[in-house]
Amino acid sequence: MVPDVPAKEILDILNTSWLFSEFSDEDKGMLAKNSSLVRFKSRDVLFRQRTRTSHAMYIIEGLVKIYKENLTNRTVTLKILSAGHFAGLDALFAGPVYQYSASAVGEVRILIIDMGTFNKQLMKNGRFALDIIKMLSMESQNIFTRLNSQTNKQLPGRIADVLLYFSEDIYHSLEFEFPLSRQELAELAGTTKESFIRTINEFRHDKIIDLDGRKVRIKSPDLVRILSDIG
């Protein structure tokens, strides 16, 4: 974890972010004064399950993996968050400790905001509070969608959902690189590593996708969508 200090850089971020751009200069100054810009290296832990919640963490650059650890130290990948989202915000309002962990996928820059300052802005700025509610609601809806996928869809439909997740929600492109290991991708799909590899190779054999290591190109997005819809 490497801190990036300059307050001016934080103000520049607040001015360009859709979430904070309409704040008054006074409010932006207060946020900048009570925030830190921190750079995390790949696989650095942002926060760990069962530790106390303390700050709001807004992702400026990079991807963050949210995962849960069980009593046998087995981890399950829950979701990936991209720039413009908060990591662990729901936990801040749900209780005193995190119910899951978060780590950096590649290099990540995070704006760490003092929770007291964050709460003051929520109470003062109605549009900001509404945007936060919308953000949390969309994340909850995505979790319900994934649970439904893992419970009711066959394996090809679940793999199609993973492809669409990275293509539409994370990278907004038909070409991308898987940022996770095959084991982590399998966890996202609710299957085993072996089954994930077998099915993704079947997609490649059927010319639905091109696959070169971690590099993916969706050749037939309509067919991927149909596989996702029919489950």
Side-chain angles (χ1 to χ4, degrees), residues 5 8 18 20 32 38 45 51 64 71 74-75 86 97-98 104 120 126 140 142 145 155 157 162 171 183 191 208:
V5 185
K8 182 180 182 304
W18 69 272
F20 305 104
V38 179
V45 175
T51 60
V64 172
L71 296 177
R74 178 175 175 266
T75 63
F86 284 93
V97 299
Y98 289 106
K120 285 180 182 178
S140 295
N142 287 339
T145 300
L155 188 52
V162 169
Y171 293 110
Q183 178 61 45
T191 187
I208 299 172

Side-chain angles (χ1 to χ4, degrees), residues 63 77-80 142 145-150 153-193 195-197 199-201 203 208-209 211 214 216-218 221 223-229 231:
L63 301 176
T77 302
L78 300 175
K79 59 183 175 180
I80 303 297
N142 287 339
T145 300
R146 282 195 55 239
L147 286 174
N148 178 68
S149 171
Q150 293 187 7
K153 292 187 179 183
Q154 300 297 316
L155 188 52
R158 301 204 299 273
I159 302 303
D161 284 347
V162 169
L163 291 169
L164 291 173
Y165 179 59
F166 285 107
S167 174
E168 298 180 352
D169 296 343
I170 303 299
Y171 293 110
H172 310 289
S173 172
L174 294 177
E175 297 185 34
F176 55 88
E177 289 191 24
F178 281 136
L180 304 176
S181 69
R182 292 295 192 261
Q183 178 61 45
E184 292 168 322
L185 292 168
E187 291 167 1
L188 273 177
T191 187
T192 64
K193 177 182 175 181
S195 295
F196 179 87
I197 292 173
T199 307
I200 203 75
N201 282 331
F203 277 38
I208 299 172
I209 62 171
L211 186 64
R214 290 175 177 258
V216 181
R217 181 169 72 90
I218 299 178
L223 185 52
V224 173
R225 173 60 64 187
I226 289 172
L227 287 170
S228 171
D229 289 343

Side-chain angles (χ1 to χ4, degrees), residues 14 22 27 29 41 44 47 66 199 211:
L14 296 177
E22 294 185 13
D27 288 341
K41 296 179 181 178
D44 278 353
F47 55 81
I66 303 296
T199 307
L211 186 64

Side-chain angles (χ1 to χ4, degrees), residues 34-45:
N34 292 280
S35 302
S36 299
L37 190 58
V38 179
R39 189 183 304 272
F40 292 85
K41 296 179 181 178
S42 183
R43 298 189 178 276
D44 278 353
V45 175

